[in-house]
Amino acid sequence: MDAKQIFVQSLYECMDGNLEKERLYSLIEKPKQAKMGDLAFPCFELARNYRKNPQEIATQLVEEINSIYFERVEAVGAYVNVFLNKALFTKKILQQISKEKTNFGYSNLGEEKVITIDLSSPNIAKPFSMGHLRSTVIGNAIANIAEKVGYKTVRINHLGDWGTQFGKLMVAYQKWGNEDQVRANPIKELLQLYIRFHEEAEVDTKLNDIGRKWFKRLEDGDAQAEELWGWFREESLKDFSRIYELLGISFDSYNGEAFYNDKMDRVVHELQQKGLLIESEGAKVVTLEEENLPPCLIQKRDGTTLYATRDLTAAIYRYETYHFAKSLYVVGNEQTLHFTQLSYVLQKMGYNWAKNMKHISFGMMLKEGKKMSTRKGKLVLLEEVLQEAIQLANNNIMEKNPLLEKKEEVARQVGVGAVIFHDLKNDRHNDVEFSLEDMLRFEGETGPYIQYTHARMNSLLKKGGYRETNNVSVVDINEAWPIITRLMALQDTVMKAYNASDPSKIAKYLIELAREFNKYYANVRILGDEENKQARLQLVYSVKTVLKEGLRLLGIQAPDAM
């Protein structure tokens, strides 16, 4: 039940279609002070159509609006302010949540159309660092949110399993590698070899040429190069799968860059046929002068391919395979130019669906104000952070609730949840400074705070012998009203998070809802009054249901006890 939609309908019926419902909805505000009402509509935009000043329009609308859902309607300057019928909305919302449960807040906007989401996409033969966390958890949350508004999603882990860096790694392994050591601890050893290559290449620049030649051998199907590459890839996937399992994230496709090797010739040929491929200093490019962009490089002088070649091929493959309505790329801010070029090249090729491709950019994970770098060894390993968070959660459990059942499972849910929430509560466009201390705090605006609120409510329901019912009684209206208004805002919040591709809107909503409940809990004896106990527990159940669903949208589990 959406109070804003009810308000919109009331306004629309009084306006003779002077503004579309979608525009009315976008204009509705929440007054800064509760004494001014629950919702407000500014009449400035109507002044031109009505040829009256906004204050007169507001007064006229107040006289015409009549709804059982409003206790009163007032004109305050150029605003129409409404006070909602608290008892009616409270009853309707609690009944709706009891009936719909985790489906509460769902909408069918997407009509089961497909969205492909390119996320995570780590490079093989390198450890999974904190730098990869953002794409992984932001992308997964966006997928969950898109499903909540009615889309089908295809999560694609476009592995970085091709490119010149593998030629460099092969050179490093042959020069300084030890097979037994690599087999015993592949990712750690390969990382050290990769770092050493770049250190040595600063002195001996010829190493870079040798690395490029080895990658060319790999592209040409050299057996030795392919054997090394296959080994590096297999070991990496084993390592990654362990981390994805910890995060609770799965994928529909692991087709990485190498998957498109035998499909790129078609795209290069098509570019040539359509007269889009131009030779420039021995390389082949698509010019984008009309779009005020630099040319998009398709092939180097030596014939090797680039990211653009593979991403063009991947985009076409994904459209032909999944027939997507939208295609999202959850990749850092620094790749904005690349994805802008990608879309324009595809449109020049005649693929109008490329307009539905969107780069979901995000800020970097910084360490001491600087970007984390694999080649310089400035890495914080994600698995180590997750394990440390889990250990801290376990220590807290042993100190505060040593008799808790399933301690290890709860510690994992809380520790991993702390790391995910710390990322997702930030606007995705902002850089995030890595701080283990901040990430693992268990109070304030954190995942564990919301999880603990959920667990507390679960305990109340058990102690109170909650009996689920649709026959809702309404008590403590004034004390509960801030909670009810937050519950009503779920669907609107989900829509805003979807439209902005920004999970932080869900995270902030959960913090506000948990805070409002904890204020209520501090002021109302939920189990102290037998006559009204079940009515209060109905409210507890509703908040618990919404908190759990909100955490799920972020990719975080909600323990029943902590």
Side-chain angles (χ1 to χ4, degrees), residues 407-441:
K407 286 192 282 288
E408 288 185 3
E409 181 182 344
V410 173
R412 180 183 58 77
Q413 292 173 339
V414 173
V416 172
V419 175
I420 295 175
F421 194 88
H422 179 270
D423 190 299
L424 295 183
K425 73 179 181 181
N426 295 286
D427 186 299
R428 65 175 169 85
H429 295 99
N430 297 336
D431 292 339
V432 177
E433 178 68 33
F434 170 75
S435 168
L436 196 58
E437 183 180 354
D438 289 345
M439 193 172 288
L440 302 184
R441 279 173 44 240

Side-chain angles (χ1 to χ4, degrees), residues 39-64:
L39 296 171
F41 173 72
C43 297
F44 305 105
E45 200 164 314
L46 292 170
R48 185 173 63 253
N49 294 351
Y50 280 88
R51 295 184 179 179
K52 295 180 181 178
N53 70 52
Q55 289 89 340
E56 285 183 67
I57 298 169
T59 301
Q60 182 182 332
L61 287 172
V62 167
E63 292 172 356
E64 295 180 12

Side-chain angles (χ1 to χ4, degrees), residues 173 177-187 189-190 193 231:
Y173 173 72
N178 178 293
E179 182 178 350
D180 292 336
Q181 289 177 352
V182 173
R183 290 196 179 278
N185 200 341
I187 303 303
E189 291 298 323
L190 291 173
L193 289 171
W231 176 35

Side-chain angles (χ1 to χ4, degrees), residues 538-558:
Q538 185 77 39
L539 177 66
V540 174
Y541 171 81
S542 297
V543 180
K544 170 186 174 292
T545 301
V546 172
L547 282 184
K548 184 172 184 176
E549 176 62 4
L551 287 171
R552 185 195 70 80
L553 292 175
L554 298 180
I556 299 171
Q557 292 181 295

Side-chain angles (χ1 to χ4, degrees), residues 498-512:
Y498 168 74
N499 288 329
S501 299
D502 186 6
S504 73
K505 296 186 185 303
I506 302 289
K508 289 165 185 168
Y509 169 86
L510 294 177
I511 291 167
E512 291 170 6

Side-chain angles (χ1 to χ4, degrees), residues 287-293 348:
T287 58
L288 296 169
E289 291 175 1
E290 293 176 6
E291 290 77 22
N292 294 316
L293 294 171
K348 280 194 163 193

